[in-house]
Every structure is written in C-alpha cells, then in structure tokens.
Amino acid sequence: MSIEKVVPDITPQTSHTATVQERINEIRAMRQKIPNFTIPESIRAKQQIATIASLPAAFVERAAVAIINSASLVRAGATDPERIRDLMTYADAYDALAVELEAMAGFVRHSTATARNEAGREALTTYALAQRLVKIPATADLAPYVADMRSALGKHLRKTKATPAPSPTSPAPAPPPVTPQPPKP
C-alpha cells in the first residue's frame, strides 16, 4: 500500500509571502521619512550611548540655558542650544512612534501564533479522528496517513508530567540558648 502525496496549490503561500514582502518594503521605506534615523554600528552601540542618552531632560535643558547665558561655555564646533532642544523634542516625539511599532510587532507575533494555533488545532483534530477511523475496517486505508502524522509529530505531545522533587526534610529545631547563671555570693 503506497501513499499518494497530493501537493496542494501553493498560491495562498505565495500570496502571503508577496504581501509580507510588500509590508516589509513599506516599513523600510519609513526609514527615509524619519529624521535623524540611525542604525547601530555594532551590537554594543546601544549600551555605549545608554548612560548619556538617559540623562534627565531637565539637566539637558539647564545646560542649554547655561550655554546661552555664559559666553565662556560656548565652544567652537559644539551643538548650539536650539539644536540641543530640537534633539530632545525629536526624541520625545519619536519615542511614541517606537512604542507604537513595538506594539504592532507584538500584535503581528500574536496574529501569527493564533494562525499556527488554529492550523495546529485542526491538524490535531484530524490526527485524533484518523486514529479512531483507522481501527474501522472500512477506513483502514488511513493507516499510512496516521503513521506519517505520528512521525511528523514526533514526541511533542508525549511529554509526561515531571515527578515532583521530594520535599526537603525540615532540619531539627535548634536547642534553646543556655545563658550562664551568675555565681551566688
């Protein structure tokens, strides 16, 4: 008895792949629309700038005020106070975009997990039904499919409950402290 493999039409997968690539291109196009957009040069880049980037906004503003009010603090080639304020305003505004993008990424991950869950639930239901039907002579031809599904499933569902570790025995109570009695006169 041989199993005839039916290869489904892959149009939906191709369609999803093409749609995802379009969304990725749209997201990457956003890079050009975000001013001051930078890509970390190394894995450590975020760590290297984190301390100074987390300085309180009030401190940065006071430094800008000090530069404006004291000529001795003006340095050649240094960022002017208006640019400092603009960078802080930019950071505050675009943090909201980062939060929204992170939330969107979480929703996309949840959506993909939900899709896998639905597909997996259907596959498990089909497997359970096939396991029962294979025992009936009229549908015994399902045996190769059950074997294929069992093989593909592997040991994912065969997890046994771990035996609880024996509870540690409680230590014996310590004897009460003995205080020496002062000598009697």
Side-chain angles (χ1 to χ4, degrees), residues 10-101:
I10 60 169
T11 306
Q13 291 174 347
T14 305
S15 170
H16 290 308
T17 303
T19 301
V20 166
Q21 190 58 53
E22 289 174 13
R23 297 299 80 80
I24 291 171
N25 291 341
E26 290 168 5
I27 291 169
R28 288 182 173 220
M30 286 178 59
R31 293 176 180 181
Q32 295 0 296
K33 296 178 182 179
I34 298 174
N36 302 322
F37 183 82
T38 58
I39 297 173
E41 295 174 2
S42 70
I43 295 172
R44 296 184 52 208
K46 184 177 178 182
Q47 295 170 337
Q48 292 170 336
I49 65 170
T51 302
I52 296 175
S54 63
L55 289 172
F59 172 79
V60 176
E61 174 58 25
R62 286 184 176 94
V65 169
I67 293 168
I68 291 171
N69 293 326
S70 178
S72 62
L73 294 175
V74 176
R75 294 171 287 129
T79 305
D80 66 81
E82 287 308 311
R83 174 75 176 139
I84 292 171
R85 289 181 175 129
D86 181 60
L87 289 169
M88 293 301 287
T89 303
Y90 163 85
D92 290 341
Y94 277 88
D95 273 346
L97 176 63
V99 168
E100 186 63 27
L101 290 171

Side-chain angles (χ1 to χ4, degrees), residues 129-184:
L129 179 61
Q131 284 179 313
R132 288 180 163 251
L133 290 175
V134 78
K135 296 175 184 175
I136 301 170
T139 53
D141 63 328
L142 294 175
Y145 296 110
V146 171
D148 278 350
M149 286 187 275
R150 184 182 307 117
S151 174
L153 184 59
K155 299 196 184 260
H156 285 91
L157 293 180
R158 298 285 181 205
K159 294 179 181 174
T160 58
K161 291 184 180 177
T163 56
S167 60
T169 58
S170 57
V178 179
T179 47
Q181 297 292 331
K184 291 185 181 181

Side-chain angles (χ1 to χ4, degrees), residues 98-120:
V99 168
E100 186 63 27
L101 290 171
E102 288 163 353
M104 181 68 160
F107 299 150
V108 170
R109 284 187 193 96
H110 178 74
S111 299
T112 60
T114 300
R116 282 191 177 94
N117 177 273
E118 185 178 337

